Amino acid sequence: MSTVTKYLVYGPNDTLRRIPTKLLDSIEPKYLYKYNSPANKDEIYVAVYEQFEKQINATITLTCVMECNADHTRIELKKAGGRMGFRGSSLSEEKNIESDVVDFIMDFSKRFGLSLQEEVEKQSSEEEED
């Protein structure tokens, strides 16, 4: 089971560059990689979060890739792991790590007046015909 969610955040450059640092300070990842481009001052952060769900005896992994450039910040969340089926995995009442990260992004963008846009994958014409 894996899902990918993509967001584009638009606004002032200084505020956009604060999103990754504030997110990583408030929700600490298990692994973190940071890349700074010397040519055009772009920044890329890759953070990996892990959460063990005791109820279903499975680990959920969330990989968060944040690309900061001059006019927008692109955030890609890929959730993997967990279980589906008869074990009651969909009955999790605890907040998972993905909802915490998404709530932070939405709250931050709302608080600082940024434009948040979710990228939706377009289906190819072959899939639409089936």
Side-chain angles (χ1 to χ4, degrees):
M1 174 185 92
S2 70
T3 59
V4 177
T5 310
K6 299 175 185 177
Y7 295 102
L8 287 174
V9 186
Y10 296 97
N13 191 18
D14 293 338
T15 309
L16 290 174
R17 298 218 183 248
R18 286 180 25 208
I19 293 174
T21 55
K22 293 293 183 182
L23 174 63
L24 299 173
D25 287 344
S26 66
I27 306 171
E28 191 172 331
K30 186 164 185 172
Y31 303 103
L32 175 65
Y33 173 76
K34 179 181 175 184
Y35 172 75
N36 289 329
S37 172
N40 52 8
K41 297 182 182 177
D42 288 352
E43 298 175 340
I44 298 175
Y45 296 85
V46 179
V48 178
Y49 297 95
E50 284 187 355
Q51 181 180 35
F52 180 73
E53 289 198 9
K54 195 172 190 179
Q55 218 176 17
I56 60 172
N57 195 24
T59 301
I60 293 177
T61 304
L62 179 72
T63 304
C64 179
V65 179
M66 296 172 276
E67 301 171 12
C68 301
N69 60 24
D71 61 339
H72 70 275
T73 295
R74 185 172 185 270
I75 302 170
E76 184 173 320
L77 303 172
K78 179 170 175 66
K79 180 180 171 186
R83 287 191 182 162
M84 295 296 291
F86 298 106
R87 298 224 27 171
S89 61
S90 62
L91 299 176
S92 176
E93 283 120 23
E94 296 178 13
K95 285 190 77 170
N96 62 11
I97 193 69
E98 182 183 26
S99 64
D100 289 342
V101 171
V102 170
D103 288 347
F104 178 87
I105 294 166
M106 289 185 178
D107 183 53
F108 188 92
S109 59
K110 198 179 291 185
R111 222 178 321 140
F112 291 99
L114 304 174
S115 295
L116 180 69
Q117 180 180 16
E118 184 173 355
E119 282 187 76
V120 180
E121 292 288 322
K122 295 180 182 177
Q123 292 182 349
S124 65
S125 60
E126 296 173 4
E127 291 177 1
E128 292 174 357
E129 292 174 1
D130 290 340

